[in-house]
Amino acid sequence: MAFTTLDETVTGKNSTGFPRLLWLAFSLCLLVLGMQALPAMAVDCSDFPNGVIDGATGTPAPDQIQIDRNCTIRNYPESNPLGTNFSFYTSPGQTDERWIAIFDNVYHTGQMACNAVAGHKI
């Protein structure tokens, strides 16, 4: 069995031609990036049939919902709370269209953004 010195390990090259230290750093970066959480995916209320998001049907609560139409969110009781973050779509924030979100049997632990200047109300 052949042993290599630290200097040979750092300055040597692997089978791909990359210096070993560079290869090690690159591999470590890939590992760390692979372990990062993916960004939360926002969905539009209009992605759901009739703008209804119903926990009783087994629909998992999205991390983020953009209210882009009148929307009903129902059946997320305290035993299955809704931790979703809501934002209101008013493309681009200067239109006269405003949407209502109806919560029916919902225990909400997330956040909701509103823009008083654009005429949003909670």
Side-chain angles (χ1 to χ4, degrees), residues 45 51-53 65 67 69-73 99-103:
C45 193
V52 176
I53 303 167
I65 296 175
I67 306 294
R69 60 160 289 157
N70 290 336
C71 190
T72 301
I73 301 96
W99 310 110
I100 187 169
I102 300 168
F103 283 46

Side-chain angles (χ1 to χ4, degrees), residues 30-112:
L30 286 178
L31 177 66
V32 169
L33 288 174
M35 292 172 37
Q36 297 294 316
L38 294 174
M41 188 74 110
V43 297
D44 294 335
C45 193
S46 61
D47 293 341
F48 296 89
N50 300 316
V52 176
I53 303 167
D54 193 342
T57 63
T59 302
D63 292 326
Q64 297 179 31
I65 296 175
Q66 180 170 255
I67 306 294
D68 63 338
R69 60 160 289 157
N70 290 336
C71 190
T72 301
I73 301 96
R74 62 181 172 211
N75 298 316
Y76 290 94
E78 192 169 357
S79 61
N80 180 28
L82 184 73
T84 300
N85 296 323
F86 289 90
S87 61
F88 289 85
Y89 179 74
T90 54
S91 172
Q94 305 303 318
T95 67
D96 290 332
E97 291 182 307
R98 298 297 178 258
W99 310 110
I100 187 169
I102 300 168
F103 283 46
D104 178 15
N105 188 31
V106 173
Y107 186 83
H108 183 235
T109 60
Q111 298 179 3
M112 189 174 293

Side-chain angles (χ1 to χ4, degrees), residues 3-10:
F3 292 97
T4 58
T5 66
L6 180 59
D7 186 52
E8 289 172 324
T9 302
V10 171

